[in-house]
Amino acid sequence: ASSDQEAVFENTMKAVEKAYREAPQTEALEQQSPGIIAKMVKAMRPAMRAVNQRIQRQYRPELIAVYKRHLTPSEARDLADFYNGPLGKRLARQASAGYSPDAALADLKPDSALTQRQIDADLNNAMSAAVQDMSEADRQKIIEAIARTPALRKLQPVFDETRVVRLRMENEQPTPQEEFLITSAINRVLRDNL
């Protein structure tokens, strides 16, 4: 799951860079000092990664509890077996690689929270892309796996609950210390390049 989380993080950082390029203030900085946006994103990356890791750790127990409410220990093992197998790994990898917070960032206003609709759109886009990118044979194997693995048929209520947790995770703000580190990284780039 670590490489899958890394893919999501990388796609999020690409979306942050895209949002900076579309914002008039930062685009004006880019015109004044070409490459400054990429430098800002690179500089903030370690602090953003730390924020992401803290949020993952903070919400992990709650996510585990959701799975425990809906799956027996045996079903949880079956689910783990599926996602540790070649087909499950491929599905998870493609969904992670296809994730981008485009819907979340598209109509995000300063000082406003993301909505469930925005988060759901991004998650649905990632899963749809993953399934579409699979071969017809792999899609058929997924259907067969669902038919023979009861745990896979029980995932909808798990997803329904985890998407609500995911919304809280996405709206989690950096701590004052984390915000200081992010801002300091950006300010260093601005100071050194303008």
Side-chain angles (χ1 to χ4, degrees):
S2 177
S3 64
D4 295 333
Q5 289 172 348
E6 184 62 21
V8 170
F9 176 77
E10 289 302 322
N11 288 341
T12 299
M13 294 307 296
K14 287 176 187 173
V16 167
E17 184 168 344
K18 179 182 173 194
Y20 276 171
R21 292 189 183 287
E22 293 171 355
Q25 287 179 318
T26 46
E27 183 51 33
L29 291 173
E30 182 71 19
Q31 295 301 318
Q32 185 179 349
S33 179
I36 198 165
I37 290 175
K39 290 175 184 176
M40 288 170 29
V41 171
K42 182 179 180 182
M44 73 167 64
R45 181 179 293 278
M48 293 291 288
R49 178 171 277 116
V51 171
N52 180 271
Q53 290 169 342
R54 174 189 54 83
I55 292 169
Q56 293 288 332
R57 283 189 310 271
Q58 179 179 333
Y59 284 90
R60 182 178 168 85
E62 189 172 349
L63 291 167
I64 289 170
V66 170
Y67 281 86
K68 283 183 174 182
R69 273 195 297 281
H70 293 282
L71 301 171
T72 66
S74 176
E75 290 169 332
R77 281 189 297 279
D78 291 344
L79 195 60
D81 288 346
F82 173 76
Y83 281 105
N84 284 319
L87 184 61
K89 282 183 180 179
R90 197 162 39 254
L91 179 61
R93 185 175 47 250
Q94 287 178 271
S96 296
Y99 176 80
S100 180
D102 292 333
L105 293 176
D107 34 303
L108 184 64
K109 307 291 184 264
D111 300 322
S112 67
L114 294 170
T115 66
Q116 192 69 62
R117 179 189 58 77
Q118 291 167 311
I119 299 301
D120 289 349
D122 288 333
L123 294 174
N124 290 338
N125 289 341
M127 190 51 83
S128 294
V131 172
Q132 287 175 356
D133 287 347
M134 297 186 102
S135 68
E136 183 59 39
D138 279 348
R139 285 194 292 271
Q140 185 59 41
K141 288 177 187 174
I142 289 174
I143 292 168
E144 292 166 5
I146 292 169
R148 71 175 177 275
T149 311
L152 290 172
R153 294 191 302 273
K154 292 176 74 175
L155 282 180
Q156 189 59 52
V158 171
F159 291 151
D160 290 344
E161 280 191 57
T162 57
R163 65 189 262 285
V164 175
V165 176
R166 180 64 186 261
L167 176 63
R168 289 200 320 276
M169 291 172 74
E170 294 295 336
N171 281 311
E172 186 77 30
Q173 297 299 305
T175 66
Q177 177 64 25
E178 291 166 341
E179 186 66 41
F180 173 79
L181 293 172
I182 294 166
T183 304
S184 295
I186 293 170
N187 286 339
R188 272 192 306 278
V189 170
L190 294 174
R191 183 187 64 237
D192 293 347
N193 291 276
L194 294 178

